[in-house]
Structure formats: C-alpha cells, structure tokens
Amino acid sequence: MADTAREGGTGSGGMGRERQVTDSRRRAYDSPRLLNLELTTRCPLRCPQCYCELAGGRDMPLDTALYWLEEAARNHVEDISLSGGETMLYADLEKLIETCSRLGMESNIAISGYGASEERLRRLIDCGVSRIFVSLNGSTEEINRRSRDGYGLALEALRTLREMHYGQTYINWVMHSHNTADFPNLIRLAETCGAAAVVVMVFKPDAAHQRSSMPGTEQIRWMAEYIRAYQGSVEIRVESCFSQLCALLGDSYFVNPNRGIAKGCGAGRDGISVSVDGKPTPCRHLMIEESYRTIREYWESSAVLRQLRETEDRMEEPCRSCRLQRFCRPCVAVSWQMRGRLSMGEESCGLWK
C-alpha cells in the first residue's frame, strides 16, 4: 500500500492560490486544499506493517469518484491524491487523472511498482499526472522487507521512470527503528534513480493497531540533523503528519516556523478523504465515515472535524508538558487507533523529555 500524504517541514506539496482560514484561531482553511480518494481496497502485496484492511476487494464506482472530483473543483481543492490499496489496479485511473487536469487540479498517485510497465506509466504521464510516488522503505531488499513487500517492483518502477526522463518521481519512505541508519543509503539510491524528492513519513499503526518498530527519540534527532546537513541533488521533504520531526527541523533559538495550520496533523484542517464507499472521512488514516454529500456541508458542519480542530484545547500528556507543543501537532490517527481518542497526546513520543 502506498500513500501520497501531505507534506511539510522541508518542503510543501501544496500548489496554487493562497488560502484563508475559517476562524481567528487559525485552526482550518476556508475549504480543504487536499482531497484523497480511496479508489480500491485491492492490493496484490502483503506488506508486514500495512495499515490498511485489505480483506476482500472493492473499488470506488467511477461515477462516485467523478462526483467527488467535481465537488473538489467547486470548492477550489488544489491537490487530489488517488490512493488504494494498490492504485494501479483501478481500471479507470487514467480517466480520473484526465478529469483532474481538465478541472485544473493537481493529481498525485502512489504506487508500489506493481503493474508499472513503461506503457502504463506513459499513459499516466500523457493523461497529466502531476507526481508519482513510489513506496520504498530500504535501500536493500533485506531492510525493505521488514516493513514492505515488493522491493524489486519499486526499483524497476524507479528505473523505468528515470529512463523516461520523468521529472516528478518521488520516493515515499516510512521511518522505522530498523531502517533509520539506512537512510543515507536510500538517499544515494534516490540520487542514482533521478528521484526529485524523498518524503519522510511517520509510522502509522498497522492493521492490528500496533507500532512495533517505532523509531527512538535519538533516531528522530539524528534524522533532523542529517536532513539539515544534506546538500545533495534530491530534495528531502517531511510530511506534516510527522510533526515531531518537523518541529525539530524548525527549532532554533529565535523562532520555529513549524506553526499555524500546517504545523502537524492536517486531518479536517487542510484536507479530507473519501472512503471507497464514497463517504467523507477526516483523513485516509482516520476512517471515521460520515454521510455528507457535499464538501461544503462536511467541512462546515461535521462534529468530528470540529473535534479535530479543538485538539489543542484538550491537550493531554506528554504533549502538554513538552517544550515543542506550540510547534507540534502529532498525527491524531495514531491517538485514535491506539487509544480510541481524537486527542493531542502521543504517549510513544519521547521528545517531551
């Protein structure tokens, strides 16, 4: 399973017009800037630490996907993330990319490498796909397979995109305790493959709601120093959901720029998702479905989104005691899956110490 998550820290996935905020506390934009569509629950791979429920296999009906794309355009959404399961299994993927282009929206897809032949990739590029994210968690098969399946497929997709001279290839890399030391090797691989950027992503709970390979505090600090010092050809971006790392990257004596809406978890603040059943949810990792039929009504009326925008008002430990709490909003999906609460208080984080 791959992911085109929102980015922050050292880079931003957002394009387009300046957004306004819905209230003086700067808790949400006036409308979402990102929409994720969960196109399919099907996937041929079996990644050891997948966070998706892949039992059975369903696809979002094409008319449902087109409806939400039209809704997105009416509400000035800028970025569309087309995800799965395995996105390449969705039969009408090219149609959706063409629709995004016609409606003036960016389209991002995440792939494992499965089904990524040169012919298929060429069709996606010709249809106007904005960015292709290839998921890879290690520079070697041994390291990668501890959390992901399909190492060879990912490498072949990267090589094919390089040979096609496609300039918007990204690598999605999820940080674990067992692959942190390998990150410089992964960056060298990205340089060789001609990738434009590597996106560092936070480890969400797997399908069993476990996080057995959480990186330690010193590993996160080391990662921040490595990113600061790196001067190579590949841009290193950090998804905004990895708010702890973003906060460390921005930390200085005078100011920390990791603040405002984009300082961390953006569920219900800068983006939303639509499940394979066609129901809006706050995020693809926070699958709390509601039955709203328009983005405007969901954005303005959902009690769940309101709770997400109030997490700072209900801050729990250890976040409440952390010196970085003004500049960090950890992934709420972690709290929801591990503790059943929409709260700001990630017990597994040691930065507060």
Side-chain angles (χ1 to χ4, degrees), residues 45-350:
L45 306 185
R46 288 298 177 265
C47 298
Q49 293 177 338
C50 182
Y51 44 75
C52 291
E53 300 285 352
L54 295 174
R58 293 173 294 142
D59 291 346
M60 179 182 287
L62 177 59
D63 59 351
T64 300
L66 292 174
Y67 169 82
W68 284 107
L69 289 184
E70 295 283 352
E71 262 293 289
R74 280 193 290 271
N75 286 273
H76 309 292
V77 172
E78 299 160 7
D79 285 287
I80 302 295
S81 173
L82 302 171
S83 69
E86 172 50 63
T87 315
M88 295 291 272
L89 290 177
Y90 192 73
D92 295 300
L93 184 58
E94 288 89 344
K95 171 72 172 177
L96 299 185
I97 292 172
E98 287 178 339
T99 301
C100 289
S101 296
R102 175 176 58 81
L103 295 174
M105 298 182 294
E106 304 276 341
S107 60
N108 309 307
I109 64 169
I111 65 175
S112 67
Y114 179 86
S117 65
E118 181 176 354
E119 178 185 0
R120 185 79 191 281
L121 290 171
R122 176 60 62 190
R123 292 205 307 270
L124 298 178
I125 294 169
D126 289 345
C127 289
V129 68
S130 303
R131 303 169 199 87
I132 297 177
F133 295 74
V134 180
S135 294
L136 186 65
N137 282 357
S139 67
T140 69
E141 183 168 12
E142 179 182 5
I143 296 172
N144 187 74
R145 71 186 176 198
R146 294 187 66 177
S147 56
R148 285 202 58 83
D149 193 5
Y151 174 79
L153 295 173
L155 280 192
E156 186 59 30
L158 289 169
R159 291 171 182 148
T160 301
L161 289 164
R162 178 193 61 196
E163 292 168 2
M164 296 170 69
H165 303 289
Y166 180 65
Q168 293 299 315
T169 300
Y170 290 51
I171 294 176
N172 278 342
W173 180 85
V174 180
M175 185 177 179
H176 294 264
S177 58
H178 55 70
N179 68 354
T180 300
D182 179 58
F183 188 68
N185 299 324
L186 191 283
I187 290 295
R188 285 192 284 273
L189 176 62
E191 292 170 342
T192 301
C193 293
V198 171
V199 183
V200 178
M201 308 180 75
V202 70
F203 175 29
K204 283 88 170 176
D206 60 23
H209 306 300
Q210 301 297 317
R211 300 173 90 196
S212 58
S213 58
M214 272 288 295
T217 301
E218 290 309 309
Q219 289 180 311
I220 297 175
R221 292 188 182 280
W222 175 87
M223 179 62 69
E225 292 304 316
Y226 178 86
I227 293 173
R228 282 197 186 105
Y230 176 74
Q231 295 182 348
S233 61
V234 174
E235 183 181 1
I236 302 177
R237 300 186 174 192
V238 180
E239 68 166 346
S240 61
C241 309
F242 204 162
S243 190
Q244 298 94 324
L245 181 53
C246 291
L248 284 181
L249 282 168
D251 200 20
S252 72
Y253 183 80
F254 296 103
V255 66
N256 190 322
N258 199 55
R259 57 175 60 205
I261 296 172
K263 77 175 181 180
C265 177
R269 297 181 183 232
D270 70 357
I272 58 173
S273 184
V274 176
S275 73
V276 71
D277 297 316
K279 294 183 178 181
T281 71
C283 166
R284 63 165 310 168
H285 302 286
L286 198 55
M287 298 298 286
I288 306 174
E289 295 184 340
E290 296 187 87
S291 296
Y292 293 100
R293 288 293 296 160
T294 70
I295 289 177
R296 177 56 52 199
E297 184 181 11
Y298 179 56
W299 195 250
E300 295 179 351
S301 303
S302 167
V304 173
L305 298 191
R306 185 167 60 252
Q307 289 183 62
L308 290 170
R309 295 165 188 165
E310 295 172 351
T311 53
E312 291 93 332
D313 303 329
R314 305 186 309 276
M315 198 178 302
E316 301 176 4
E317 297 293 359
C319 291
R320 188 165 54 203
S321 300
C322 181
R323 72 176 183 85
L324 293 172
Q325 53 98 348
R326 288 179 55 210
F327 314 108
C328 180
R329 187 173 57 248
C331 176
V332 178
V334 172
S335 177
W336 176 253
Q337 293 185 46
M338 302 294 289
R339 304 190 300 169
R341 296 205 292 272
L342 296 175
S343 66
M344 181 177 166
E346 189 168 324
E347 296 170 338
S348 58
C349 179

